[in-house]
Amino acid sequence: SQQGEEDPQALSIQEGENATMNCSYKTSINNLQWYRQNSGRGLVHLILIRSNEREKHSGRLRVTLDTSKKSSSLLITASRAADTASYFCATNSNSGYALNFGKGTSLLVTP
Amino acid sequence: KAGVTQTPRYLIKTRGQQVTLSCSPISGHRSVSWYQQTPGQGLQFLFEYFSETQRNKGNFPGRFSGRQFSNSRSEMNVSTLELGDSALYLCASSLTAPNEKLFFGSGTQLSVL
């Protein structure tokens, strides 16, 4: 079952702008992860934020987590054309032995 | 370290046939998960294996099965293929549990005609 839901479904920006994607989920989590997928390829792990963390940074990425609202956001600063991809949030299932992915945000960064 | 390797990369089958997909995890990783990705349904969890044992299974019919070998390599099988089985099948590995960081292969693109 899909627990995470990303918003917006699609986002188009110009190089140099910031891109913000949101993720909402339904049940309690141990951690939340963000992945990136280039067209037709496998997913690449970007960042993991644990339930007791509120913000995490990695290079041009900034992730926030609000467990009271069951939501997370991914901010990509100073976007580049190479950032064009789909971005997914993922939360652990109740069993802990599967990740539930949302349907993703498709990001297009134009030069 | 080599990444997760999935073979074949592309596969074309006809309805009613069966197919076997292969996945070699990163060396030292013992957990292997499989996902089906389609434009309409997104990423759907199929199953997860650890030390040759299936620990979790998604909501798929019995035509979908898998196994893991003692060297952690995994295979998944789909019997009696249907048109709706056309999808990108992704394998992912992790050290011990998929609720930590997953490493994905490039996937097998299956087309059922």
Side-chain angles (χ1 to χ4, degrees):
Chain A
S1 63
Q2 286 166 327
Q3 178 171 208
E5 291 293 335
E6 293 89 348
D7 172 62
Q9 288 187 342
L11 182 59
S12 181
I13 60 173
Q14 291 192 316
E15 268 191 329
E17 295 181 334
N18 295 341
T20 300
M21 289 157 262
N22 302 297
C23 169
S24 59
Y25 57 93
K26 296 174 185 172
T27 62
S28 62
I29 59 171
N30 293 326
N31 64 57
L32 184 142
Q33 304 179 47
W34 285 90
Y35 287 81
R36 160 199 169 120
Q37 183 182 35
N38 289 87
S39 182
R41 308 294 293 182
L43 282 73
V44 175
H45 181 270
L46 294 175
I47 198 163
L48 180 154
I49 185 166
R50 301 195 183 279
S51 59
N52 61 352
E53 297 175 309
R54 291 296 167 258
E55 189 170 310
K56 204 161 182 181
H57 296 255
S58 177
R60 293 184 295 112
L61 306 180
R62 172 180 168 250
V63 168
T64 62
L65 179 64
D66 187 335
T67 53
S68 67
K69 294 182 180 178
K70 291 186 169 59
S71 68
S72 173
S73 68
L74 170 67
L75 168 67
I76 304 174
T77 60
S79 296
R80 306 166 183 168
D83 294 327
T84 294
S86 292
Y87 292 82
F88 297 86
C89 68
T91 56
N92 56 293
S93 68
N94 291 337
S95 72
Y97 297 137
L99 286 185
N100 295 318
F101 288 86
K103 290 195 175 181
T105 292
S106 179
L107 173 65
L108 174 64
V109 182
T110 53
Chain B
K1 257 185 184 179
V4 177
T5 303
Q6 287 190 250
T7 56
R9 182 72 179 94
Y10 300 96
L11 207 47
I12 299 175
K13 292 286 187 179
T14 55
R15 279 182 298 174
Q17 287 187 312
Q18 77 164 24
V19 66
T20 299
L21 312 181
S22 179
C23 172
S24 293
I26 290 173
S27 178
H29 285 195
R30 295 169 65 188
S31 169
V32 174
S33 303
W34 289 90
Y35 290 83
Q36 180 196 64
Q37 186 177 29
T38 58
Q41 297 298 317
L43 280 148
Q44 300 281 321
F45 170 74
L46 281 158
F47 22 67
E48 187 263 353
Y49 289 89
F50 179 84
S51 292
E52 302 178 68
T53 299
Q54 185 183 89
R55 292 194 295 192
N56 198 11
K57 189 178 191 302
N59 189 25
F60 278 82
R63 300 184 297 106
F64 291 81
S65 63
R67 59 178 176 169
Q68 186 182 34
F69 302 96
S70 58
N71 61 357
S72 293
R73 192 177 69 84
S74 178
E75 288 181 349
M76 68 162 281
N77 185 277
V78 188
S79 63
T80 320
L81 283 166
E82 301 177 359
L83 295 179
D85 297 333
S86 294
L88 180 66
Y89 290 87
L90 292 163
C91 167
S93 73
S94 61
L95 277 170
T96 57
N99 59 336
E100 296 297 326
K101 181 177 176 179
L102 283 180
F103 294 82
F104 281 84
S106 295
T108 293
Q109 184 67 55
L110 172 65
S111 298
V112 182
L113 307 177

